[in-house]
């Protein structure tokens, strides 16, 4: 190599940034790869005489002493021991543990159904998600769905589980230990359907899994779950259509209708039900199904007015609205909001709003044409409802009975929910008509009793509370206030109509809050083994 070539700069490929400059000699010891934390050569560091093994990040430090530890994060008396009463229903025990931090939950007892090599974690999580899907699709509250999912996991020995439920998505994660990777799974709820018979069967399965004396393997649980999906509804289609008509007729009697009104409301509701089924078969969204179903009762009421038949046409339209108002979704949405599931509550209430808007559109279209054709519909007729105790009590019980059939309830629960609905109307009538209380206060108290009796009955039978409460609130639904508000809007009296619709919204909220409050009061009669107050009360302080 010539001298000129030595002075020529080398390219970047031939020379790296960490290459020692020319003329500097580097020893062989420095050519080895070292860390920037390596000790320089010649520096003596005293070594510890104790040979402690290298631990993880969770290993207790060597200089730590329990006696000298600060009590900043631990109470002076220590963390209280949680003991749950085994005689309580699994819903209350699982709900209590869900409201605890993970570190404070008591460890599950090893069940005989858990194999020696341990449960198959992915299959247990899949079974849990499938059970949660059936409960959420059936209208169960988010907190009760989480409690059921947690109960299934604990029954197979998976204690460090965190279920999460939203309106259409269920997810669950399981962490075997602090150093193992978590296992997560999720499932989306695509279809929703009202079948309280299937809901009760799922609750029986979860109850059997939570029983320490039961020996249900994963295969048996999967088999029972598949059998629930294959089972047909307990009532045929013609029974459901007839129940819808009887419900509307009973509701028309509650607001002052006679026999002719009963028959007219029944025919309008049955026709609306058939039209809604036709729209569902064509794949139309539920918004349009509610819109179409609300038109026939309104059309029959307007037709009776135009033909000058001496009947109370407003009761016909009101009875048809009772069969359509989404009371079940409203109660579930408010319950989720009161228990802290705000995303799910917002989605449910938005769904209720869409259904209600669909009903409003269907009724307003008919009322608009009826008013233009000269129909004499009186918005002040709501003030002229005369109390008829015996007829109204019988109508309220018939309404609850038919509502239970529409919800596909088990035949063993129909009698209890019918009596519960009758008691609710007796309380409402005694407070509103006799005691002259406001309708909102009377509705709230009656709904509270419905929730109280329904929750106690559900705990007695280790089942869901929905079959005992949803149908019983049927007589309390604000059908009259909704109709007269829409009628005022159709007659260009918007201010009066909005006031009436606000009253209907207040009654609906009173029903939902009353049912939830009654459910919470019922838990005061049940002894839950927790040394502290309810965890949900400490979830937030408002800031």
């Amino acid at each position: 190599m010539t001298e000129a070539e030595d002075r020529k700069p080398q390219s970047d490929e031939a020379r790296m940034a960490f290459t020692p400059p020319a003329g500097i000699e580097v020893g062989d010891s420095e050519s080895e790869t070292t860390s920037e934390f390596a000790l320089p050569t010649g520096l003596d560091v005293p070594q510890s005489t104790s040979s402690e093994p290298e631990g993880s990040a969770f290993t207790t430090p060597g200089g730590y002493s329990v006696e000298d530890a600060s009590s900043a994060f631990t109470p002076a008396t220590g963390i209280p021991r949680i003991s749950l009463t085994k005689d309580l229903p699994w819903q209350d025990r699982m709900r209590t543990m869900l409201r605890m931090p993970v570190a404070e939950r008591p460890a599950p007892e090893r069940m005989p159904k858990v194999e020696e090599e341990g449960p198959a974690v992915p299959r247990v999580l899949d079974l849990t998600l499938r059970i949660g899907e059936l409960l959420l699709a059936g209208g169960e509250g988010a907190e009760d769905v989480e409690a059921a999912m947690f109960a299934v996991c604990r029954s197979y020995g998976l204690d460090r589980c965190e279920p999460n439920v939203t309106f259409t998505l269920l997810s669950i994660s399981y962490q075997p230990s602090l150093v193992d990777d978590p296992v997560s799974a999720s499932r989306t709820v695509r279809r929703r359907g009202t079948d309280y018979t299937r809901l009760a069967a799922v609750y029986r399965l979860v109850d059997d899994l939570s029983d320490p004396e039961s020996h249900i393997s994963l295969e048996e649980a999967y088999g029972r779950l598949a059998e629930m999906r294959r089972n047909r509804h307990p009532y045929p289609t013609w029974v459901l259509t007839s129940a819808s008509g009887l419900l509307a007729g009973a509701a028309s009697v509650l607001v002052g209708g006679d026999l002719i009104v009963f028959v007219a409301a029944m025919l309008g509701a049955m026709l609306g039900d058939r039209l809604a089924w036709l729209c569902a078969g064509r794949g139309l969204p539920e918004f349009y199904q509610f819109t179409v179903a609300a038109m026939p009762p309104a059309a029959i009421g307007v037709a009776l007015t135009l033909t000058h038949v001496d009947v109370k046409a407003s009761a016909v339209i009101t009875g048809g609205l009772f069969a359509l108002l989404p009371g079940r979704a409203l109660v579930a949405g408010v319950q989720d909001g009161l228990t802290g599931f705000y995303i799910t509550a917002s989605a449910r209430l938005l769904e209720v709003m869409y259904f209600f808007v669909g009903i409003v559109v269907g009724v307003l279209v008919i009322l608009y044409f009826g008013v233009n054709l000269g129909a004499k519909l009186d918005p002040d007729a709501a003030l002229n409802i005369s109390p008829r105790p015996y007829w109204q009590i019988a109508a309220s019980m018939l309404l609850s009975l038919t509502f239970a059939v529409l919800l596909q309830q088990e035949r063993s629960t129909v009698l209890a929910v019918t009596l519960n609905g009758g008691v609710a109307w007796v309380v409402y009538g005694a407070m509103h008509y006799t005691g002259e209380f406001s309708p909102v206060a009377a509705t709230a108290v009656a709904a509270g009793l419905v929730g109280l009796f329904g929750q106690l009955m559900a705990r007695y039978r280790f089942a869901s509370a929905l079959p005992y409460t949803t149908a019983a609130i049927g007589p309390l639904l604000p059908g009259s206030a909704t109709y007269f508000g829409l009628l005022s809007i159709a007659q260009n009296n918007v201010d009066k109509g909005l006031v009436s619709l606000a009253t209907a919204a207040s009654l609906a909220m009173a029903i939902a809050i009353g049912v939830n409050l009654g459910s919470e009061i019922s838990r005061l009669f049940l002894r839950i083994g927790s040394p502290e107050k309810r965890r949900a009360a400490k979830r937030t302080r408002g800031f």
Side-chain angles (χ1 to χ4, degrees):
M1 184 180 294
T2 62
E3 183 177 356
E5 292 176 349
D6 292 339
R7 291 196 302 266
K8 183 179 179 180
Q10 298 179 353
S11 62
D12 292 339
E13 290 80 1
R15 183 177 182 275
M16 296 176 56
F18 299 98
T19 303
I24 298 181
E25 297 181 357
V26 181
D28 295 338
S29 61
E30 295 291 337
S31 62
E32 299 178 357
T33 304
T34 59
S35 169
E36 60 180 346
F37 300 102
L39 297 177
T41 305
L43 181 62
D44 296 331
V45 178
Q47 302 294 331
S48 176
T49 56
S50 61
S51 58
E52 295 183 358
E54 182 180 359
S56 66
F58 302 98
T59 305
T60 305
Y64 177 81
S65 175
V66 178
E67 290 77 8
D68 300 334
S70 174
S71 60
F73 300 101
T74 304
T77 57
I79 298 176
R81 181 177 178 270
I82 307 297
S83 59
L84 299 176
T85 306
K86 295 183 179 180
D87 297 334
L88 288 177
W90 61 266
Q91 298 100 312
D92 298 306
R93 288 187 282 113
M94 297 303 110
R95 187 181 291 108
T96 301
M97 282 187 286
L98 275 177
R99 291 166 180 167
M100 300 178 187
V102 179
E104 298 182 16
R105 294 174 185 169
E109 298 180 0
R110 292 300 174 184
M111 303 298 178
K113 54 177 158 294
V114 178
E115 294 82 3
E116 295 181 358
E117 62 272 11
V121 174
R123 298 200 67 199
V124 172
L125 298 184
D126 179 71
L127 175 67
T128 303
L129 290 174
R130 291 177 183 271
I131 291 177
E133 179 189 9
L134 288 180
L135 293 177
L136 188 62
E140 191 63 85
E143 187 178 34
D144 293 324
V145 175
E146 283 195 358
M149 294 172 65
F150 190 67
V152 174
C153 287
R154 284 183 64 88
S155 65
Y156 288 102
L158 308 184
D159 56 332
R160 304 182 66 88
C161 285
E162 286 295 334
N164 188 20
V165 176
T166 58
F167 185 56
T168 58
L169 179 66
L170 300 99
S171 61
I172 188 169
S173 62
Y174 168 66
Q175 189 171 10
S177 65
L178 293 174
V179 295
D180 293 330
D181 295 332
V183 181
S184 300
S186 62
R187 195 174 183 87
T188 303
V189 179
R190 301 292 183 185
R191 298 178 59 186
R192 298 179 180 275
T194 303
D195 189 346
Y196 283 179
T197 300
R198 180 179 297 173
L199 190 71
V202 176
Y203 263 80
R204 284 194 293 268
L205 173 59
V206 179
D207 185 34
D208 293 340
L209 289 174
S210 303
D211 188 2
E213 297 181 359
S214 65
H215 305 277
I216 301 178
S217 63
L218 277 173
E219 298 300 330
E220 294 174 346
Y222 269 110
R224 291 179 58 175
L225 202 61
E227 185 179 357
M228 294 175 200
R229 290 182 176 275
R230 288 194 300 265
N231 283 346
R232 302 183 62 181
H233 298 303
Y235 305 104
T237 304
W238 67 270
V239 173
L240 299 179
T241 302
S242 302
S244 178
L246 291 174
L247 189 153
S252 66
V253 174
L254 283 180
V255 294
D258 53 11
L259 180 60
I260 298 178
V261 171
F262 179 91
V263 175
M266 184 177 65
L267 293 177
M270 293 173 66
L271 181 58
D273 180 77
R274 286 294 87 200
L275 290 177
W277 276 101
L278 179 62
C279 294
R282 299 292 181 178
L284 291 178
E286 287 185 291
F287 175 86
Y288 302 105
Q289 297 176 28
F290 274 83
T291 302
V292 171
M295 289 183 176
I300 292 179
V302 171
L304 291 175
T305 304
L306 291 175
T307 54
H308 304 288
V309 179
D310 189 16
V311 295
K312 198 170 184 178
S314 61
V316 177
I317 304 176
T318 300
L321 291 179
F322 265 86
L324 298 176
L325 292 177
R328 173 182 58 87
L330 175 67
V331 171
V334 174
Q335 179 182 358
D336 289 340
L338 294 176
T339 52
F341 294 85
Y342 301 113
I343 297 178
T344 307
S346 301
R348 288 186 190 271
L349 294 178
L350 184 62
E351 181 187 41
V352 171
M353 188 191 72
Y354 272 103
F355 292 163
F356 187 75
V357 170
I359 298 172
V360 168
V361 171
V363 175
L364 273 181
V365 169
I366 301 299
L367 292 181
Y368 178 78
F369 284 105
V371 170
N372 289 336
L373 292 175
K376 302 298 182 181
L377 299 172
D378 186 11
D380 296 328
L383 304 176
N384 302 323
I385 299 176
S386 58
R388 299 176 298 173
Y390 297 107
W391 282 103
Q392 289 177 330
I393 292 174
S396 65
M397 296 179 67
L398 177 61
L399 195 153
S400 299
L401 171 65
T402 53
F403 202 175
V405 173
L406 288 175
L407 294 174
Q408 303 280 1
Q409 291 190 196
E410 291 181 311
R411 293 177 174 85
S412 59
T413 63
V414 171
L415 178 60
V417 74
T418 301
L419 296 176
N420 201 5
V423 171
W425 182 259
V426 169
V427 174
Y428 172 81
M431 294 185 63
H432 178 54
Y433 295 113
T434 306
E436 297 183 354
F437 284 85
S438 67
V440 176
T443 300
V445 174
L449 289 178
V450 168
L452 175 63
F453 294 150
Q455 198 67 237
L456 291 177
M457 181 63 72
R459 292 301 181 268
Y460 173 73
R461 301 189 63 174
F462 296 90
S464 172
L466 289 180
Y468 300 97
T469 57
T470 305
I473 64 173
L476 306 176
L477 292 176
S480 298
T482 303
Y483 161 67
F484 289 112
L486 298 179
L487 179 58
S488 298
I489 294 175
Q491 294 177 344
N492 294 326
N493 195 348
V494 180
D495 294 338
K496 188 176 180 179
L498 292 179
V499 171
S500 184
L501 290 180
T503 303
S506 301
L507 292 172
M509 291 298 294
I511 292 173
I513 296 176
V515 170
N516 181 264
L517 183 60
S519 301
E520 296 298 329
I521 292 176
S522 68
R523 295 192 180 99
L524 297 178
F525 298 97
L526 302 174
R527 185 169 58 89
I528 299 178
S530 176
E532 298 181 1
K533 294 182 179 180
R534 181 178 178 175
R535 288 284 177 176
K538 297 183 179 180
R539 186 172 296 169
T540 176
R541 295 180 180 270
F543 54 83

